[in-house]
Coordinates of all heavy atoms in Angstrom, one line a residue:
M231 N -11.7 23.7 20.6 CA -12.0 24.1 19.2 C -12.7 23.1 18.5 O -12.5 21.9 18.7 CB -10.5 24.3 18.4 CG -10.7 25.0 17.1 SD -9.2 25.1 16.2 CE -8.0 25.8 17.3
E232 N -13.7 23.5 17.7 CA -14.7 22.6 17.0 C -14.0 22.0 15.8 O -13.3 22.7 15.0 CB -15.9 23.2 16.7 CG -16.9 22.3 16.2 CD -18.3 23.0 16.0 OE1 -18.6 23.8 16.9 OE2 -18.9 22.8 15.0
E233 N -14.1 20.7 15.6 CA -13.5 20.0 14.4 C -14.4 20.3 13.2 O -15.6 20.3 13.3 CB -13.4 18.5 14.5 CG -12.4 18.0 15.6 CD -12.2 16.5 15.6 OE1 -13.3 15.8 15.9 OE2 -11.3 16.0 15.2
T234 N -13.8 20.4 12.1 CA -14.5 20.6 10.8 C -15.0 19.1 10.4 O -14.3 18.2 10.8 CB -13.7 21.2 9.8 OG1 -12.6 20.5 9.3 CG2 -13.1 22.6 10.2
T235 N -15.9 19.1 9.4 CA -16.3 17.9 8.9 C -15.2 17.1 8.2 O -15.1 15.9 8.3 CB -17.5 18.1 7.9 OG1 -18.5 18.8 8.6 CG2 -18.0 16.9 7.3
N236 N -14.3 17.8 7.5 CA -13.2 17.3 6.8 C -12.3 16.7 7.8 O -11.7 15.6 7.6 CB -12.5 18.4 6.0 CG -11.5 17.9 5.0 OD1 -11.7 16.7 4.5 ND2 -10.5 18.5 4.7
E237 N -12.0 17.3 8.9 CA -11.1 16.8 9.9 C -11.7 15.4 10.5 O -10.9 14.5 10.8 CB -10.8 17.8 11.0 CG -10.0 18.9 10.6 CD -9.9 20.1 11.6 OE1 -10.9 20.1 12.4 OE2 -8.9 20.8 11.6
M238 N -13.0 15.5 10.7 CA -13.5 14.4 11.2 C -13.5 13.2 10.4 O -13.3 12.0 10.6 CB -15.0 14.6 11.7 CG -15.2 15.5 12.9 SD -16.8 15.8 13.6 CE -17.6 16.5 12.1
M239 N -13.7 13.5 9.0 CA -13.7 12.3 8.0 C -12.4 11.8 7.9 O -12.1 10.6 7.8 CB -14.2 12.9 6.7 CG -15.7 13.2 6.5 SD -16.7 11.7 6.8 CE -16.3 10.8 5.5
N240 N -11.2 12.6 8.0 CA -9.9 12.2 7.9 C -9.5 11.2 9.1 O -8.9 10.2 8.9 CB -8.9 13.4 7.8 CG -8.9 14.1 6.5 OD1 -9.2 13.5 5.5 ND2 -8.4 15.3 6.5
E241 N -10.1 11.7 10.3 CA -9.7 10.9 11.4 C -10.5 9.5 11.2 O -9.9 8.5 11.7 CB -10.3 11.6 12.7 CG -9.4 12.7 13.2 CD -9.9 13.3 14.4 OE1 -10.8 12.8 15.0 OE2 -9.4 14.5 14.7
M242 N -11.7 9.5 10.8 CA -12.3 8.2 10.7 C -11.7 7.4 9.7 O -11.5 6.1 9.8 CB -13.8 8.4 10.2 CG -14.6 9.0 11.4 SD -16.5 9.0 11.1 CE -16.6 9.6 9.4
T243 N -11.2 8.0 8.5 CA -10.5 7.2 7.4 C -9.2 6.5 8.0 O -8.9 5.4 7.8 CB -10.3 8.1 6.2 OG1 -11.5 8.7 5.8 CG2 -9.6 7.4 5.1
Y244 N -8.4 7.5 8.7 CA -7.2 6.9 9.3 C -7.5 5.8 10.1 O -6.7 4.8 10.2 CB -6.4 8.1 9.8 CG -5.8 9.0 8.9 CD1 -6.0 10.3 9.0 CD2 -5.2 8.6 7.6 CE1 -5.5 11.3 7.9 CE2 -4.6 9.5 6.7 CZ -4.8 10.8 6.8 OH -4.4 11.8 5.9
E245 N -8.4 5.9 11.1 CA -8.7 5.0 12.1 C -9.1 3.7 11.3 O -8.7 2.6 11.8 CB -9.8 5.4 12.9 CG -9.3 6.5 14.0 CD -10.5 7.0 14.9 OE1 -11.6 6.5 14.7 OE2 -10.3 8.2 15.4
A246 N -9.9 3.7 10.3 CA -10.3 2.5 9.7 C -9.1 1.9 8.9 O -9.1 0.7 9.0 CB -11.4 2.9 8.6
A247 N -8.3 2.7 8.4 CA -7.1 2.1 7.7 C -6.1 1.5 8.7 O -5.7 0.4 8.4 CB -6.3 3.2 6.9
D248 N -6.0 2.1 9.9 CA -5.1 1.5 10.9 C -5.7 0.1 11.4 O -5.0 -0.7 11.5 CB -5.0 2.5 12.0 CG -4.1 3.6 11.7 OD1 -3.4 3.6 10.7 OD2 -4.2 4.6 12.5
D249 N -7.0 0.1 11.6 CA -7.7 -1.0 12.0 C -7.6 -2.2 11.0 O -7.4 -3.3 11.3 CB -9.2 -0.8 12.3 CG -9.4 0.1 13.5 OD1 -8.4 0.2 14.3 OD2 -10.6 0.5 13.8
L250 N -7.7 -1.8 9.7 CA -7.6 -2.8 8.7 C -6.2 -3.3 8.7 O -6.1 -4.6 8.6 CB -8.0 -2.2 7.3 CG -7.8 -3.1 6.1 CD1 -8.8 -4.3 6.3 CD2 -8.2 -2.3 4.9
M251 N -5.1 -2.5 8.7 CA -3.8 -3.1 8.7 C -3.5 -3.9 9.8 O -2.9 -4.9 9.8 CB -2.8 -1.8 8.6 CG -2.8 -1.2 7.2 SD -2.4 -2.4 5.8 CE -0.8 -3.0 6.3
M252 N -4.0 -3.6 11.0 CA -3.8 -4.4 12.2 C -4.5 -5.7 12.1 O -4.0 -6.7 12.7 CB -4.3 -3.6 13.4 CG -3.6 -2.3 13.8 SD -1.7 -2.5 14.0 CE -1.9 -3.0 15.7
S253 N -5.6 -5.8 11.3 CA -6.4 -7.0 11.3 C -5.8 -8.0 10.1 O -6.1 -9.1 10.2 CB -7.8 -6.7 11.0 OG -8.0 -6.3 9.7
Q254 N -4.8 -7.5 9.4 CA -4.2 -8.4 8.3 C -3.1 -9.2 8.8 O -2.4 -8.9 9.8 CB -3.6 -7.6 7.3 CG -4.7 -6.7 6.6 CD -5.8 -7.4 6.1 OE1 -5.7 -8.4 5.4 NE2 -7.1 -7.0 6.4
D255 N -3.1 -10.5 8.4 CA -2.0 -11.4 8.9 C -0.7 -11.0 8.2 O -0.7 -10.2 7.3 CB -2.4 -12.8 8.5 CG -2.5 -13.2 7.1 OD1 -1.8 -12.6 6.3 OD2 -3.2 -14.0 6.7
E256 N 0.4 -11.5 8.8 CA 1.7 -11.1 8.2 C 2.0 -11.5 6.7 O 2.5 -10.8 6.0 CB 2.7 -11.8 9.0 CG 2.9 -11.2 10.5 CD 4.0 -11.9 11.3 OE1 4.9 -12.5 10.7 OE2 3.9 -11.9 12.5
G257 N 1.3 -12.5 6.3 CA 1.5 -12.9 4.9 C 0.8 -12.0 3.9 O 1.4 -11.5 3.0
T258 N -0.3 -11.5 4.3 CA -1.0 -10.5 3.6 C -0.3 -9.2 3.6 O -0.1 -8.5 2.5 CB -2.5 -10.2 4.1 OG1 -3.1 -11.4 3.9 CG2 -3.2 -9.3 3.3
Q259 N 0.3 -8.7 4.8 CA 1.0 -7.5 4.8 C 2.3 -7.7 4.0 O 2.6 -6.7 3.3 CB 1.4 -7.2 6.3 CG 0.2 -6.8 7.1 CD 0.7 -6.4 8.5 OE1 1.9 -6.4 8.9 NE2 -0.3 -6.4 9.4
A260 N 2.9 -8.8 3.8 CA 4.1 -9.1 3.1 C 3.8 -8.9 1.6 O 4.6 -8.4 0.8 CB 4.8 -10.3 3.4
E261 N 2.6 -9.5 1.3 CA 2.2 -9.5 -0.1 C 2.0 -8.1 -0.6 O 2.3 -7.7 -1.7 CB 0.9 -10.3 -0.3 CG 0.5 -10.5 -1.7 CD -0.7 -11.4 -1.9 OE1 -1.2 -12.0 -0.9 OE2 -1.3 -11.5 -3.1
I262 N 1.3 -7.4 0.2 CA 1.1 -5.8 -0.2 C 2.3 -5.1 -0.2 O 2.4 -4.2 -1.1 CB 0.1 -5.3 0.9 CG1 -1.4 -5.9 0.8 CG2 -0.1 -3.8 0.7 CD1 -2.3 -5.5 1.9
A263 N 3.2 -5.4 0.7 CA 4.5 -4.6 0.5 C 5.3 -5.0 -0.6 O 5.8 -4.1 -1.3 CB 5.4 -5.0 1.9
T264 N 5.1 -6.2 -1.1 CA 5.7 -6.7 -2.4 C 5.2 -5.9 -3.6 O 5.9 -5.5 -4.5 CB 5.7 -8.2 -2.6 OG1 6.4 -8.8 -1.4 CG2 6.3 -8.7 -3.9
I265 N 3.8 -6.0 -3.5 CA 3.0 -5.3 -4.7 C 3.5 -3.9 -4.6 O 3.7 -3.2 -5.6 CB 1.5 -5.5 -4.4 CG1 1.2 -6.9 -4.6 CG2 0.8 -4.6 -5.5 CD1 -0.2 -7.3 -4.2
R266 N 3.4 -3.1 -3.5 CA 3.7 -1.8 -3.4 C 5.1 -1.5 -3.9 O 5.4 -0.5 -4.7 CB 3.7 -1.3 -1.9 CG 4.1 0.2 -1.8 CD 3.9 0.8 -0.3 NE 2.7 0.6 0.2 CZ 2.3 -0.1 1.3 NH1 3.4 -0.8 2.0 NH2 1.2 -0.2 1.8
E267 N 6.2 -2.2 -3.6 CA 7.5 -2.1 -4.0 C 7.5 -2.2 -5.6 O 8.2 -1.3 -6.2 CB 8.4 -3.2 -3.4 CG 9.8 -3.0 -3.5 CD 10.6 -4.0 -2.9 OE1 10.4 -4.1 -1.5 OE2 11.5 -4.7 -3.5
A268 N 6.9 -3.2 -6.2 CA 6.9 -3.3 -7.6 C 6.2 -2.0 -8.3 O 6.9 -1.5 -9.3 CB 6.2 -4.6 -8.1
Y269 N 5.2 -1.6 -7.9 CA 4.5 -0.5 -8.4 C 5.1 0.9 -8.2 O 5.1 1.7 -9.0 CB 3.0 -0.5 -8.1 CG 2.2 -1.5 -8.9 CD1 1.8 -2.7 -8.5 CD2 1.7 -1.1 -10.1 CE1 1.1 -3.6 -9.1 CE2 1.0 -2.0 -11.0 CZ 0.6 -3.1 -10.5 OH -0.1 -4.0 -11.4
T270 N 5.7 1.0 -7.1 CA 6.4 2.2 -6.7 C 7.5 2.6 -7.8 O 7.5 3.5 -8.3 CB 7.0 2.2 -5.4 OG1 6.0 2.0 -4.4 CG2 7.8 3.5 -5.1
E271 N 8.3 1.6 -8.1 CA 9.3 1.8 -9.1 C 8.7 2.1 -10.5 O 9.2 3.0 -11.1 CB 10.1 0.4 -9.3 CG 11.3 0.7 -10.2 CD 12.3 -0.7 -10.2 OE1 12.3 -1.3 -9.1 OE2 12.6 -1.0 -11.2
K272 N 7.7 1.5 -10.9 CA 7.0 1.7 -12.3 C 6.4 3.0 -12.2 O 6.4 3.7 -13.3 CB 5.9 0.6 -12.5 CG 6.6 -0.9 -12.8 CD 5.5 -1.8 -13.0 CE 6.1 -3.2 -13.1 NZ 4.9 -4.1 -13.2
I273 N 5.7 3.4 -11.2 CA 5.0 4.7 -11.1 C 5.9 5.8 -11.2 O 5.9 6.8 -11.8 CB 4.1 4.8 -9.9 CG1 2.8 3.8 -10.0 CG2 3.5 6.2 -9.6 CD1 2.1 3.5 -8.8
N274 N 7.1 5.8 -10.3 CA 8.0 6.7 -10.3 C 8.8 6.9 -11.7 O 9.0 8.1 -12.0 CB 9.1 6.4 -9.3 CG 8.6 6.8 -7.9 OD1 7.7 7.5 -7.6 ND2 9.2 6.2 -6.9
A275 N 8.9 5.8 -12.4 CA 9.5 5.9 -13.8 C 8.5 6.6 -14.7 O 9.0 7.5 -15.5 CB 9.8 4.5 -14.4
A276 N 7.3 6.4 -14.6 CA 6.3 7.0 -15.5 C 6.2 8.4 -15.1 O 6.1 9.3 -16.1 CB 4.9 6.4 -15.3
I277 N 6.3 8.8 -13.9 CA 6.3 10.3 -13.5 C 7.5 10.9 -13.9 O 7.5 12.0 -14.5 CB 6.2 10.3 -12.0 CG1 4.8 9.8 -11.4 CG2 6.5 11.7 -11.6 CD1 4.6 9.8 -10.0
G278 N 8.7 10.3 -13.9 CA 9.9 10.8 -14.4 C 10.0 11.0 -15.9 O 10.5 11.9 -16.5
A279 N 9.1 10.2 -16.6 CA 9.0 10.3 -18.0 C 7.9 11.2 -18.4 O 7.5 11.4 -19.6 CB 8.8 9.0 -18.7
D280 N 7.3 11.9 -17.4 CA 6.1 12.9 -17.7 C 4.9 12.2 -18.3 O 4.2 12.8 -19.1 CB 6.7 14.1 -18.5 CG 7.4 15.1 -17.7 OD1 7.2 15.0 -16.5 OD2 8.3 15.6 -18.3
D281 N 4.7 10.9 -18.0 CA 3.7 10.1 -18.5 C 2.6 10.0 -17.5 O 2.5 8.8 -16.8 CB 4.2 8.8 -19.1 CG 3.1 7.9 -19.9 OD1 1.9 8.4 -19.9 OD2 3.4 7.0 -20.6
D282 N 1.8 11.0 -17.3 CA 0.8 10.9 -16.2 C -0.3 10.0 -16.4 O -0.8 9.3 -15.4 CB 0.1 12.4 -16.2 CG 1.0 13.5 -15.7 OD1 2.0 13.1 -15.1 OD2 0.7 14.6 -15.9
K283 N -0.6 9.7 -17.7 CA -1.7 8.6 -18.0 C -1.3 7.3 -17.4 O -1.9 6.5 -16.8 CB -1.9 8.5 -19.4 CG -3.0 9.6 -19.8 CD -3.3 9.4 -21.3 CE -4.6 10.2 -21.7 NZ -5.1 9.9 -23.1
L284 N 0.1 6.9 -17.8 CA 0.6 5.7 -17.4 C 0.6 5.6 -15.8 O 0.4 4.6 -15.2 CB 2.0 5.4 -17.9 CG 2.7 4.1 -17.6 CD1 1.8 2.8 -17.9 CD2 4.0 4.1 -18.2
A285 N 1.1 6.8 -15.1 CA 1.2 6.7 -13.8 C -0.1 6.5 -13.1 O -0.2 5.8 -12.1 CB 1.9 8.1 -13.2
I286 N -1.1 7.1 -13.6 CA -2.5 6.9 -13.1 C -3.0 5.5 -13.2 O -3.5 4.8 -12.3 CB -3.4 8.0 -13.7 CG1 -3.1 9.4 -13.3 CG2 -4.9 7.6 -13.4 CD1 -3.8 10.4 -14.0
E287 N -2.7 5.0 -14.4 CA -3.2 3.6 -14.7 C -2.5 2.6 -13.8 O -3.0 1.7 -13.2 CB -2.9 3.2 -16.2 CG -3.3 1.7 -16.5 CD -4.8 1.5 -16.3 OE1 -5.6 2.3 -16.3 OE2 -5.0 0.3 -15.8
L288 N -1.2 2.8 -13.6 CA -0.3 1.9 -12.7 C -0.9 2.0 -11.2 O -0.9 1.0 -10.5 CB 1.2 2.4 -12.9 CG 1.9 1.9 -14.2 CD1 3.2 2.5 -14.2 CD2 2.0 0.4 -14.2
S289 N -1.3 3.3 -10.9 CA -1.8 3.5 -9.6 C -3.2 2.7 -9.4 O -3.4 2.1 -8.3 CB -2.0 5.0 -9.3 OG -0.8 5.7 -9.2
R290 N -3.9 2.7 -10.4 CA -5.1 1.9 -10.4 C -4.9 0.4 -10.2 O -5.5 -0.2 -9.5 CB -6.1 2.2 -11.5 CG -6.7 3.6 -11.5 CD -7.4 3.8 -12.8 NE -8.1 5.2 -12.8 CZ -8.2 5.9 -13.9 NH1 -7.7 5.4 -15.0 NH2 -8.7 7.1 -13.8
Q291 N -3.9 0.1 -11.0 CA -3.5 -1.5 -11.0 C -3.1 -1.9 -9.7 O -3.4 -2.9 -9.1 CB -2.5 -1.8 -12.1 CG -3.1 -1.8 -13.5 CD -2.0 -1.8 -14.4 OE1 -0.9 -2.4 -14.1 NE2 -2.2 -1.6 -15.7
F292 N -2.2 -1.0 -9.0 CA -1.8 -1.2 -7.7 C -2.9 -1.3 -6.6 O -3.0 -2.2 -5.8 CB -0.7 -0.1 -7.2 CG -0.5 -0.1 -5.7 CD1 0.3 -1.1 -5.1 CD2 -1.0 0.9 -4.9 CE1 0.4 -1.2 -3.8 CE2 -0.9 0.8 -3.5 CZ -0.2 -0.3 -3.0
R293 N -3.7 -0.4 -6.8 CA -5.0 -0.4 -5.9 C -5.7 -1.7 -6.1 O -6.1 -2.3 -5.0 CB -5.9 0.8 -6.2 CG -7.2 0.9 -5.4 CD -8.3 1.6 -6.1 NE -8.6 1.0 -7.3 CZ -9.2 1.8 -8.3 NH1 -9.4 3.1 -8.2 NH2 -9.4 1.3 -9.5
D294 N -6.0 -2.0 -7.2 CA -6.8 -3.3 -7.6 C -6.1 -4.5 -7.0 O -6.7 -5.4 -6.4 CB -7.0 -3.5 -9.1 CG -7.9 -2.5 -9.6 OD1 -8.7 -1.7 -8.7 OD2 -8.1 -2.3 -10.7
E295 N -4.8 -4.7 -7.2 CA -4.0 -5.7 -6.7 C -4.0 -5.8 -5.1 O -4.1 -6.9 -4.5 CB -2.6 -5.8 -7.2 CG -2.6 -6.3 -8.7 CD -1.2 -6.6 -9.2 OE1 -0.4 -7.2 -8.4 OE2 -0.9 -6.3 -10.4
A296 N -3.8 -4.7 -4.5 CA -3.8 -4.6 -3.0 C -5.1 -4.9 -2.5 O -5.2 -5.7 -1.5 CB -3.3 -3.2 -2.6
F297 N -6.2 -4.5 -3.2 CA -7.6 -4.8 -2.8 C -7.8 -6.3 -2.9 O -8.3 -7.0 -1.9 CB -8.6 -4.0 -3.7 CG -10.0 -4.3 -3.3 CD1 -10.6 -3.5 -2.4 CD2 -10.8 -5.4 -3.9 CE1 -11.9 -3.5 -2.1 CE2 -12.1 -5.6 -3.4 CZ -12.6 -4.7 -2.6
E298 N -7.3 -6.9 -3.9 CA -7.5 -8.4 -4.0 C -6.7 -9.2 -3.0 O -7.2 -10.2 -2.4 CB -7.1 -8.9 -5.4 CG -8.1 -8.4 -6.5 CD -7.7 -8.8 -7.9 OE1 -6.6 -9.5 -8.1 OE2 -8.4 -8.4 -8.9
A299 N -5.5 -8.6 -2.7 CA -4.7 -9.2 -1.6 C -5.4 -9.2 -0.3 O -5.2 -10.2 0.5 CB -3.3 -8.7 -1.6
I300 N -6.0 -8.1 0.0 CA -6.6 -8.0 1.2 C -8.0 -8.8 1.4 O -8.2 -9.4 2.3 CB -6.9 -6.4 1.6 CG1 -5.6 -5.8 1.8 CG2 -7.7 -6.3 2.8 CD1 -5.6 -4.2 1.9
F301 N -8.8 -8.5 0.3 CA -10.2 -9.1 0.5 C -10.5 -10.4 -0.4 O -11.4 -10.9 -0.4 CB -11.2 -7.9 0.0 CG -11.1 -6.8 1.0 CD1 -10.5 -5.6 0.6 CD2 -11.7 -6.8 2.2 CE1 -10.4 -4.6 1.4 CE2 -11.6 -5.8 3.1 CZ -11.0 -4.7 2.7
G302 N -9.5 -10.7 -1.2 CA -9.8 -11.8 -2.1 C -10.3 -11.4 -3.5 O -10.8 -10.4 -3.6
E303 N -10.1 -12.3 -4.4 CA -10.4 -11.9 -5.8 C -12.0 -11.8 -6.1 O -12.4 -11.1 -6.9 CB -9.9 -13.0 -6.7 CG -8.4 -12.9 -6.9 CD -7.9 -14.0 -7.9 OE1 -8.6 -14.3 -8.9 OE2 -6.8 -14.4 -7.7
N304 N -12.7 -12.4 -5.2 CA -14.2 -12.4 -5.3 C -14.9 -11.4 -4.7 O -16.1 -11.3 -4.7 CB -14.7 -13.9 -4.9 CG -14.2 -14.9 -5.7 OD1 -14.0 -14.9 -6.9 ND2 -13.9 -16.1 -5.1
A305 N -14.1 -10.5 -4.0 CA -14.7 -9.4 -3.2 C -15.4 -8.4 -4.2 O -14.9 -8.2 -5.3 CB -13.7 -8.7 -2.4
R306 N -16.5 -8.0 -3.8 CA -17.1 -6.9 -4.6 C -16.4 -5.6 -4.5 O -16.1 -5.1 -3.5 CB -18.6 -6.7 -4.0 CG -19.5 -5.9 -4.9 CD -20.8 -5.9 -4.4 NE -21.3 -4.5 -4.1 CZ -22.3 -4.1 -3.6 NH1 -23.1 -5.0 -3.0 NH2 -22.5 -2.9 -3.4
K307 N -16.1 -5.0 -5.8 CA -15.5 -3.8 -5.8 C -16.4 -2.7 -6.0 O -17.4 -2.8 -6.7 CB -14.5 -3.8 -7.1 CG -13.3 -4.9 -6.8 CD -12.4 -5.0 -8.0 CE -11.5 -6.1 -7.9 NZ -10.6 -6.2 -9.0
R308 N -16.0 -1.5 -5.5 CA -16.9 -0.4 -5.7 C -16.0 0.8 -6.3 O -15.0 1.0 -6.0 CB -17.4 0.2 -4.3 CG -18.2 -0.8 -3.6 CD -18.6 -0.3 -2.3 NE -19.4 -1.3 -1.5 CZ -19.8 -1.2 -0.3 NH1 -19.5 -0.2 0.4 NH2 -20.5 -2.2 0.2
D309 N -16.8 1.5 -7.2 CA -16.1 2.6 -7.8 C -16.6 3.8 -7.2 O -17.7 4.3 -7.4 CB -16.4 2.6 -9.4 CG -15.7 3.7 -10.2 OD1 -14.9 4.4 -9.5 OD2 -16.0 4.0 -11.2
V310 N -15.8 4.3 -6.4 CA -16.2 5.5 -5.5 C -15.5 6.8 -5.9 O -15.5 7.8 -5.3 CB -16.0 5.4 -4.0 CG1 -17.0 4.2 -3.5 CG2 -14.5 5.1 -3.7
A311 N -14.9 6.8 -7.2 CA -14.1 7.8 -7.6 C -15.0 9.0 -8.0 O -16.0 9.1 -8.1 CB -13.3 7.6 -8.8

């Protein structure tokens, strides 16, 4: 069966994410886990309070902090939304 473009893109994205996680040292992985844990609680609370704007903003903050943990504060950020 022939793969669709969407399926191929998903496979490439997952492979890249897996490769990135495998290339991170244990300290960086632990830092990201700590950041994720802190934001998960806050995001879930915002969702529980039906505050979608806050949940989205917290998700963006999580993304930015995780990005900085992986690539450093001076890494060039791209807005691909």
